[in-house]
Amino acid sequence: MRSTVVIKGSKSGMSVFLDPQVSFEQLLSDLEKKFRESAKFWGSAQMALTLEGRSLTPSEEYQVVNAITSSSQVEILCLIDRDGERIRRCEKALNEKLMELSSQNGQFYKGDLNRGDSLESEASIVVIGDVHHGARVTAKGNIIILGELKGSAFAGAAGNEGAVVAAMEMAPVQLRIAGVSARTNEKGRRLGKGPVIASVENGAICTKPIKKSFLNLLNFN
């Protein structure tokens, strides 16, 4: 009997193929059963999810994610969309929301930062451009880079461990939040695919794909 749900691990997280020929109600039932049976294999994990095989409405996507999380210990951090146009629309909306938040109390810098450049802010800052290798951004609040981070970023410079660093693409030489540092190599190692947020958790810097909830919780002070 052909399986209506096929689960595969991928570099970006988890890929789930959904049979386009069966009813959505049957698909949800099969999905829950599949994840209950494989719960021990996946364990307690945080993953990005790619859905393949059939087109889904936002409501159906929500039901699929809920079926997975309620039937296992897997936490879905974000959905990875293969629709290039939809990805561009989401990134545009993300950029606009971040700029709206920053306009309240933060600062802007428009342009790329190149080797030898150093940018400092007494509050949070949004860099509309790339931070190249050899450049550095320092802020007492959050650092949001609407571009690539390949240089160094130091957020929470006044000792605020609740500060974050976020970038559309993140491959820094060094990340620092308050007194906690994370150094990669001289060329910088890519920390995830697409928009990434770095924060302090349990005394160490942790990087994750940006969740939708991040935009609602971000405090630009």
Side-chain angles (χ1 to χ4, degrees):
M1 180 178 178
R2 181 169 56 90
S3 177
T4 61
V5 177
V6 179
I7 310 171
K8 295 181 180 179
S10 65
K11 290 182 179 180
S12 57
M14 174 189 293
S15 176
V16 178
F17 175 84
L18 305 173
D19 193 324
Q21 303 300 322
V22 300
S23 69
F24 184 70
E25 290 71 22
Q26 179 63 48
L27 194 65
L28 283 180
S29 176
D30 293 345
L31 188 68
E32 291 174 345
K33 180 181 178 182
K34 193 84 168 182
F35 272 89
R36 280 196 299 269
E37 292 174 346
S38 60
K40 288 185 178 180
F41 173 79
W42 294 108
S44 178
Q46 296 178 322
M47 295 186 177
L49 174 66
T50 302
L51 298 176
E52 303 179 38
R54 65 189 289 162
S55 297
L56 299 173
T57 66
S59 175
E60 289 174 336
E61 288 179 347
Y62 174 82
Q63 292 179 69
V64 167
V65 171
N66 188 58
I68 293 173
T69 56
S70 64
S71 304
S72 67
Q73 297 184 62
V74 174
E75 178 185 357
I76 303 302
L77 295 176
C78 65
L79 286 174
I80 297 177
D81 201 324
R82 297 198 172 196
D83 182 339
E85 180 58 31
R86 186 172 173 187
I87 291 173
R88 285 189 290 273
R89 290 199 304 270
C90 289
E91 288 186 347
K92 181 182 178 183
L94 176 63
N95 291 353
E96 291 174 349
K97 182 63 175 178
L98 288 171
M99 287 189 286
E100 175 190 334
L101 288 168
S102 181
S103 65
Q104 299 168 10
N105 296 301
Q107 299 178 0
F108 283 105
Y109 177 86
K110 187 173 183 179
D112 294 341
L113 293 174
N114 300 308
R115 178 181 291 276
D117 291 338
S118 180
L119 180 64
E120 297 185 7
S121 173
E122 291 294 312
S124 295
I125 190 164
V126 172
V127 178
I128 307 173
D130 297 328
V131 179
H132 294 292
H133 181 77
R136 180 182 178 87
V137 181
T138 303
K140 290 185 178 180
N142 305 309
I143 296 174
I144 308 298
I145 299 169
L146 301 181
E148 292 186 326
L149 170 58
K150 294 182 178 180
S152 300
F154 179 14
N160 178 17
E161 287 195 0
V164 301
V165 178
M168 296 299 102
E169 294 287 345
M170 193 178 287
V173 170
Q174 185 176 35
L175 276 180
R176 184 177 175 187
I177 298 175
V180 184
S181 297
R183 188 175 183 87
T184 57
N185 53 49
E186 287 305 314
K187 292 184 178 180
R189 176 173 57 86
R190 189 171 296 278
L191 304 177
K193 183 179 180 181
V196 171
I197 180 173
S199 60
V200 175
E201 293 186 12
N202 299 319
I205 290 182
C206 176
T207 57
K208 298 178 180 178
I210 290 180
K211 294 183 180 181
K212 292 180 181 178
S213 58
F214 162 71
L215 294 177
N216 296 324
L217 296 175
L218 188 60
N219 181 19
F220 263 70
N221 293 314

